[in-house]
Amino acid sequence: MRDSDIHINRVDWVVVTIYFALVIFGWFNIYAAVYDSQAPQSMFDMSINSGKQLVRIGAAVILIVLIMVADYRFFENLSLYIFIAFMLLLLITPIFGKVVNGQRAWFEIGPIQIQPGEFAKFATALALAKVMERPTFDLTKRNHQLIAFGVLLLPVAFILLQPDTGTAMVYFAMLLMFYREGFPQKYYLLGFGFIALTLLSLGIENNLYLAIGIGVIILFLILLGKKSWQKVVAFSLIGLGLIAYSYSIDYVVSKLPEHQQNRIMVLFNPNLDPLGVGWNVTQSKIAIGSGGLFGKGYLEGTQTKFDFVPEQHTDFIFCTLGEEFGWAGSLVVISLFVTLLVRLVIMAERQKNRFSRVYGYCVISILLFHFMINIAMTVGLFPVVGIPLPFFSYGGSSLWSFTILLFVFIKLDSSRALQLGRFK
């Protein structure tokens, strides 16, 4: 029996079916986002986004075929070379790339625009899987931690030079894979603590309030009696540290570009300048809320028709879904994503070697991050950072990079019987 026969028989068709369901549903919503009832055009018209996206879907199918007919060892053996190639590409992007929306993050090849930062996610996942494939690799050891973080942070540093904060953030999602592979839990608790403190610092308009609150608690400890002086000293030092950290966060935010500062401000004050910096999020929530239980009907979305929500075919595609298909349609799409992620966890846990498992959890981490942040962004629970909805949003780089990311894992999973006994 040929290897290709074994692979086809072991392909997880549930994941493949969900992938195509999301891509097709996304294509219909992209058409709805650009539909003009006064001058309707065919979905297949190459002059509008739905027609262009259909070509990209066709290219994605070709990528799928190439991945599935390739030898599964190709991705493992060339993983570090692929990573190095993309790091070089990221390094030259800020120099030779095309500026789009204030970011030099794209290369233009004829009619095609390619965003290397999107494809580098796949390369980074492969590289992490390669350096961590041996059972002797231990994330509790300092030198092994440095190696893993070096691989993870290198593309982040290059992408921040573009600068593309949203794409850079995605790479930190792979810390979920680190947790599965044994990275100490205490660091996650420390990280969550800093995140909570950062949100608190950003949410409190005047750091004087934070200082007063800490002072009141210190006074309360003093009143407890002389035996509490150690607690008073300890808490005073912690309090001073918190205040210093809060002021440092304010300083860092003040150095961000104005549009990024505005997005953070809108997160904590949704009513801030609803006709200006808060316009996107305000109109997004109106669009989703107006859909009600079952939506206004396909191609009947008024927010969509009159372009109230900018970038509705890309980062805010969920608005079109919510307005035209309502709560029920949104629930169907969210259920598809959740089912996909659960299925990928099952696939990751049944792998026969660590390379495939690590890569699988990288795929899960990236898809989960995009799914959660994109929806949170459209309903005002997260700043607008330009995170597309996987397989759903308009764009070639996004669709192709997610397709490669997912189907390489499907290929590895379909070949797991051939990998039995390796890396014992």
Side-chain angles (χ1 to χ4, degrees), residues 4 7-8 62-72 411:
S4 57
H7 298 169
I8 292 298
I62 294 174
L63 287 173
I64 291 170
V65 173
L66 292 176
I67 291 170
M68 297 309 293
V69 299
D71 190 310
Y72 73 93
K411 175 65 178 183

Side-chain angles (χ1 to χ4, degrees), residues 14 32 46 132 164 180 187 205 290 295 310 325 338 372 378 415:
V14 173
M46 295 300 161
M132 297 172 64
D164 187 353
R180 169 61 182 84
Y187 294 118
E205 294 183 4
S290 66
F325 294 94
V338 171
M372 292 180 61
T378 58
S415 309

Side-chain angles (χ1 to χ4, degrees), residues 376-409:
M377 188 177 70
T378 58
V379 297
L381 296 178
F382 198 86
V384 179
V385 290
I387 298 291
L389 189 60
F391 317 121
F392 220 83
S393 294
Y394 174 82
S397 290
S398 171
L399 175 62
W400 297 333
S401 64
F402 283 127
T403 298
I404 294 171
L405 189 73
L406 177 63
F407 276 86
V408 166
F409 184 43

Side-chain angles (χ1 to χ4, degrees), residues 176-194:
L176 177 63
M177 176 275 293
F178 280 44
Y179 182 80
R180 169 61 182 84
E181 296 302 318
F183 191 64
Q185 188 179 45
K186 61 182 180 181
Y187 294 118
Y188 290 92
L189 296 176
L190 183 62
F192 288 133
F194 275 108

Side-chain angles (χ1 to χ4, degrees), residues 76-114:
E76 180 185 332
N77 294 339
L78 296 182
S79 55
L80 293 181
Y81 297 103
I82 293 172
F83 178 72
I84 293 171
F86 273 100
M87 292 308 100
L88 293 174
L89 197 58
L90 286 178
L91 188 59
I92 65 173
T93 300
I95 303 172
F96 302 105
K98 179 182 178 182
V99 177
V100 178
N101 295 328
Q103 299 170 342
R104 195 177 294 275
W106 303 78
F107 280 112
E108 193 168 38
I109 307 172
I112 302 174
Q113 289 186 346
I114 299 296

Side-chain angles (χ1 to χ4, degrees), residues 352-370:
K352 305 301 182 183
N353 65 54
R354 198 178 188 186
F355 177 89
S356 298
R357 186 180 71 234
V358 169
Y359 180 81
Y361 270 100
C362 286
V363 175
I364 294 164
S365 303
I366 293 169
L367 293 179
L368 176 64
F369 185 88
H370 271 269

Side-chain angles (χ1 to χ4, degrees), residues 11-290:
V11 167
D12 196 304
W13 292 106
V14 173
V15 172
V16 174
T17 301
I18 294 174
Y19 165 83
F20 279 105
L22 289 171
V23 168
I24 293 170
F25 202 3
W27 179 56
F28 275 95
N29 277 271
I30 290 169
Y31 177 63
V34 299
Y35 178 74
D36 184 354
S37 59
Q38 301 301 316
Q41 295 171 277
S42 168
M43 294 178 68
F44 304 94
D45 191 328
M46 295 300 161
S47 66
I48 61 175
N49 288 338
S50 60
K52 296 174 184 177
Q53 188 70 2
L54 184 60
V55 174
R56 292 163 177 159
I57 292 172
V61 172
I62 294 174
L63 287 173
I64 291 170
V65 173
L66 292 176
I67 291 170
M68 297 309 293
V69 299
D71 190 310
Y72 73 93
R73 289 165 293 195
F74 169 84
F75 305 104
E76 180 185 332
N77 294 339
L78 296 182
S79 55
L80 293 181
Y81 297 103
I82 293 172
F83 178 72
I84 293 171
F86 273 100
M87 292 308 100
L88 293 174
L89 197 58
L90 286 178
L91 188 59
I92 65 173
T93 300
I95 303 172
F96 302 105
K98 179 182 178 182
V99 177
V100 178
N101 295 328
Q103 299 170 342
R104 195 177 294 275
W106 303 78
F107 280 112
E108 193 168 38
I109 307 172
I112 302 174
Q113 289 186 346
I114 299 296
Q115 187 177 9
E118 289 290 334
F119 293 94
K121 299 170 189 175
F122 149 73
T124 305
L126 281 179
L128 284 170
K130 185 63 177 178
V131 300
M132 297 172 64
E133 67 180 353
R134 295 283 178 183
T136 53
F137 192 93
D138 188 354
L139 278 175
T140 62
K141 296 179 179 178
R142 185 62 55 84
N143 59 328
H144 290 181
Q145 292 172 359
L146 291 175
I147 293 171
F149 273 99
V151 173
L152 179 65
L153 295 178
L154 188 60
V156 172
F158 291 156
I159 291 171
L160 287 176
L161 294 175
Q162 297 175 1
D164 187 353
T165 308
T167 301
M169 287 173 56
V170 177
Y171 287 79
F172 290 102
M174 285 183 264
L175 290 175
L176 177 63
M177 176 275 293
F178 280 44
Y179 182 80
R180 169 61 182 84
E181 296 302 318
F183 191 64
Q185 188 179 45
K186 61 182 180 181
Y187 294 118
Y188 290 92
L189 296 176
L190 183 62
F192 288 133
F194 275 108
I195 291 172
L197 180 58
T198 301
L199 293 175
L200 181 64
S201 301
L202 294 172
I204 297 177
E205 294 183 4
N206 192 332
N207 286 320
L208 178 62
Y209 299 146
L210 179 62
I212 292 174
I214 293 173
V216 169
I217 297 175
I218 293 174
L219 179 62
F220 177 75
L221 290 175
I222 293 174
L223 295 175
L224 289 178
K226 295 181 180 179
K227 294 182 179 179
S228 300
W229 68 269
Q230 297 96 334
K231 296 179 181 178
V232 173
V233 172
F235 195 85
S236 298
L237 293 175
I238 294 173
L240 290 173
L242 293 177
I243 294 172
Y245 181 78
S246 182
Y247 275 103
S248 67
I249 289 296
D250 289 344
Y251 176 78
V252 171
V253 171
S254 69
K255 297 301 180 181
L256 293 175
E258 185 178 358
H259 71 279
Q260 292 183 354
Q261 293 185 44
N262 291 336
R263 290 171 180 176
I264 294 173
M265 291 165 60
V266 168
L267 175 66
F268 291 97
N269 186 1
N271 297 319
L272 176 68
D273 193 12
L275 299 179
V277 297
W279 175 265
N280 286 19
V281 174
T282 300
Q283 296 303 317
S284 173
K285 291 191 287 186
I286 291 173
I288 295 172
S290 66

